[in-house]
């Protein structure tokens, strides 16, 4: 089964029973049984009738769920704890899970009026600063796969409503050095995010709070996130690991 998955990752095209049997030197009966099992479990499908088999997105969803449960690097936890102390707002680390960005770790604001997030909370990956920061470090095929399935819904006045809007937002945010939301998913919520790549995994770090409090401080917050990254991950972290993001310090 792993050989089969590696084959599709390498070839990136559909293959029929005869092609797979010949390529691997497997008996046709064994090949048929393996393919039928994977089809029944939702891991393979036929994109076109008699056009061969190809993996479904279920492989990706499972891999992302497994990766999202992996313990976070201590430096990432120290980073968002530092940001919570310096900003006074709620901070979190997120990763991708299918069409969502899922919160992995949170430090809550001490303000009586604050944004509350819990580990496991999911937000649309294409429609939030948290999610777009993650998408900005994906390959073009990965981003295209997400945008093909995106459901564009107006949660608030800042919600992106088309593929073009998401793509422009990501490009503009990379040039600015930070990703920002203002009533994009949760009304009256503002947030500032940056992408992080740690151990080959893509995350985002976010500082968020009520829009009335954070909107005028977004530039300052973005700089503080960059400074916190430099303190915890190294002065040249973004240059080495997130080179397409404009650096705001160092």
């Amino acid at each position: 089964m792993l050989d089969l998955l590696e084959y599709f990752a390498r070839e990136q095209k559909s293959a029929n029973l005869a092609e797979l049997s010949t390529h691997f030197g497997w008996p046709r009966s064994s090949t048929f049984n393996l393919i039928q099992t994977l089809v029944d479990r939702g891991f393979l499908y036929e994109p076109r009738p008699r056009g061969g088999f190809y993996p479904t997105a279920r492989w990706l969803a499972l891999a992302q769920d497994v990766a999202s449960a992996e313990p976070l690097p201590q430096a990432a936890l120290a980073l968002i704890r530092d940001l919570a102390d310096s900003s006074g707002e709620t901070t979190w680390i997120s990763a991708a899970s299918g069409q969502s960005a899922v919160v992995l770790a949170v430090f809550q604001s001490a303000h009586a009026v604050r944004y509350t997030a819990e580990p496991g909370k999911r937000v649309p990956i294409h429609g939030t600063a948290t999610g777009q920061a993650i998408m900005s470090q994906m390959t073009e095929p990965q981003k295209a796969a997400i945008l093909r399935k995106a459901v564009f819904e107006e949660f608030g006045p800042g919600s992106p409503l088309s593929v073009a809007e998401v793509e422009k937002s990501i490009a503009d945010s990379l040039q600015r050095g930070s990703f920002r939301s203002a009533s994009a998913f949760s009304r009256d919520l503002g947030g500032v995010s940056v992408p992080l790549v740690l151990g080959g995994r893509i995350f985002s770090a976010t500082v968020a709070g009520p829009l009335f409090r954070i909107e005028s401080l977004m530039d300052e917050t973005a700089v503080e996130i960059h400074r916190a990254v430099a303190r915890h991950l190294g002065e040249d972290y973004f240059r080495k690991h997130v080179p397409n993001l404009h650096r705001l310090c160092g």
Side-chain angles (χ1 to χ4, degrees), residues 35-90:
I35 289 175
Q36 192 59 51
T37 298
L38 292 173
V39 169
D40 291 343
R41 296 289 295 273
F43 289 100
L44 289 181
Y45 78 117
E46 291 183 274
R48 296 175 304 280
R50 300 184 182 278
F53 299 91
Y54 198 74
T56 70
R58 189 172 183 192
W59 295 98
L60 176 61
L62 287 177
Q64 288 173 329
D65 284 341
V66 170
S68 69
E70 183 179 344
L72 283 168
Q74 287 301 308
L77 295 174
L79 167 65
I80 58 171
R81 183 186 297 111
D82 186 357
L83 286 171
D85 291 341
S86 63
S87 69
E89 301 294 353
T90 299

Side-chain angles (χ1 to χ4, degrees), residues 126-143:
H126 68 278
T128 56
T130 292
Q132 288 183 10
I134 295 168
M135 289 180 65
S136 74
Q137 302 308 302
M138 292 180 174
T139 65
E140 290 303 320
Q142 287 173 327
K143 285 188 286 189

Side-chain angles (χ1 to χ4, degrees), residues 2 52 57 83 113 118 131 202 209 220 223 225-226 244 247:
L2 295 175
L83 286 171
V113 179
E118 300 292 341
I202 304 172
E220 180 182 324
V223 171
I225 296 175
H226 277 245
N244 59 346
R247 295 184 293 283

